[in-house]
Amino acid sequence: MIKLIIFDLDGTLLNTVADLANSTNFALEQCGFSTHETAAYNFFVGNGINKLFERALPEGEKTQENILRVRGFFLPYYEKYNSVYSAPYAGIPEVLKTLHEKGYKLAVASNKYHAGTLQMIEQFFPEIPFTAVLGQREGIPAKPHPQIVKDVLEIAGVSKEETLYVGDSGVDMETVLNSEVTGVGVTWGFRPLEELQQFNPKYIIHKPEEILEIVEKLR
C-alpha cells in the first residue's frame, strides 16, 4: 500500500522554465555572455542551478569562476522574478488536494536550491501540508543520488516499498532506481517521453489525474 507520494518540483508540479530562462539570460548578459531561447532551457535544467549555468555558458567559458559569477546575478533576480510566468500544471492543485484528503503523505524532492524550493511551494501550494519539502542543500549530493529520497522517507516515517516518486526527467527516473521506490514518469514536463522510457519506470502518465488511479490500484 502506498502511503507517501514524493514529487519533483520543476517540470512536475510547476512549469517554471520561462522564469528560469529569463533569470539565467539576465545573469548571462550581466557577465557578457550570449543568451538562449527559452526552449533550450528544457534541457539545461534538472541537475541543480550550478549545472544549469554550466550548460548555459559558452564552450570554453564553463569555469567554476564563471558559474559563480552567473550565480551571483541569478539568485537575487530569480528571487524577485521567479513567478512572472511560473504556474502549477493544470490539474496539479486538485490532485494534491485530493491525495491529502485521502490521507496520503505528500513531499517534494527537488534539485532546485533549497530556499527557492521552499519559496515556490509556499507561494503556489500554501494550503497543502507537505510532510517534507527538500531542495538541493549544501553538502548533500543532488539527484539522481538517492540521499534526498532517503531523507524524505526518514522524515515521513515511511518505507521505500510504500512510496511513489513522481518526476518528469531521466534524472528523476534514475533517482527512482537508485532509491528503490516505485517510479511514475510524467510527460507534461520539460523532457521527452523517450528520456523517461530509457529508465523503464513502472508507470508513465500523461495527465495528473492518473496519479489518483495509480494509488487506488496500489491500495
Side-chain angles (χ1 to χ4, degrees):
M1 179 179 175
I2 295 300
K3 296 181 179 178
L4 169 68
I5 301 101
I6 302 174
F7 292 90
D8 172 51
L9 182 60
D10 300 274
T12 302
L13 294 180
L14 297 175
N15 186 350
T16 56
V17 71
D19 289 325
L20 286 167
N22 289 346
S23 297
T24 306
N25 282 340
F26 168 81
L28 290 169
E29 285 182 337
Q30 298 307 302
C31 295
F33 298 119
S34 58
T35 60
H36 305 274
E37 296 293 328
T38 298
Y41 284 89
N42 285 329
F43 295 93
F44 290 171
V45 301
N47 295 84
I49 58 172
N50 283 5
K51 181 60 72 172
L52 161 63
F53 306 146
E54 178 186 322
R55 290 167 175 160
L57 283 163
E59 292 300 325
E61 299 289 353
K62 300 177 186 292
T63 65
Q64 187 65 22
E65 180 183 358
N66 283 337
I67 289 169
L68 294 177
R69 286 177 63 213
V70 173
R71 184 184 176 110
F73 286 107
F74 172 92
L75 286 174
Y77 189 90
Y78 186 67
E79 286 170 8
K80 188 174 182 180
Y81 298 108
N82 62 14
S83 304
V84 177
Y85 299 105
S86 295
Y89 287 99
I92 285 291
E94 294 81 3
V95 166
L96 293 177
K97 183 174 184 290
T98 299
L99 288 169
H100 169 62
E101 289 173 349
K102 287 179 175 290
Y104 294 100
K105 294 183 178 183
L106 305 175
V108 173
S110 176
N111 272 349
K112 183 188 287 292
Y113 63 102
H114 185 62
T117 300
L118 292 173
Q119 181 184 357
M120 299 297 270
I121 290 297
E122 289 169 3
Q123 178 169 347
F124 287 104
F125 306 109
E127 297 178 0
I128 302 297
F130 287 95
T131 298
V133 177
L134 298 180
Q136 188 172 9
R137 295 157 291 160
E138 193 70 31
I140 306 296
K143 299 183 296 185
H145 192 283
Q147 187 60 52
I148 191 170
V149 173
K150 291 178 180 178
D151 290 345
V152 170
L153 295 181
E154 185 174 348
I155 293 167
V158 172
S159 71
K160 60 188 179 183
E161 292 81 12
E162 299 168 317
T163 302
L164 279 185
Y165 179 103
V166 184
D168 72 301
S169 72
V171 169
D172 291 308
M173 297 305 97
E174 193 173 356
T175 304
V176 164
L177 294 175
N178 292 340
S179 55
E180 300 179 315
V181 294
T182 300
V184 181
V186 308
T187 61
W188 59 78
F190 298 161
R191 301 301 178 88
L193 171 63
E194 293 75 20
E195 182 173 311
L196 299 172
Q197 290 173 328
Q198 291 175 14
F199 296 91
N200 297 312
K202 182 160 185 168
Y203 302 98
I204 293 180
I205 61 175
H206 308 287
K207 56 184 180 179
E209 293 78 8
E210 292 178 77
I211 298 170
L212 303 177
E213 298 170 13
I214 291 170
V215 296
E216 284 300 313
K217 286 179 186 176
L218 299 177
R219 288 185 71 86

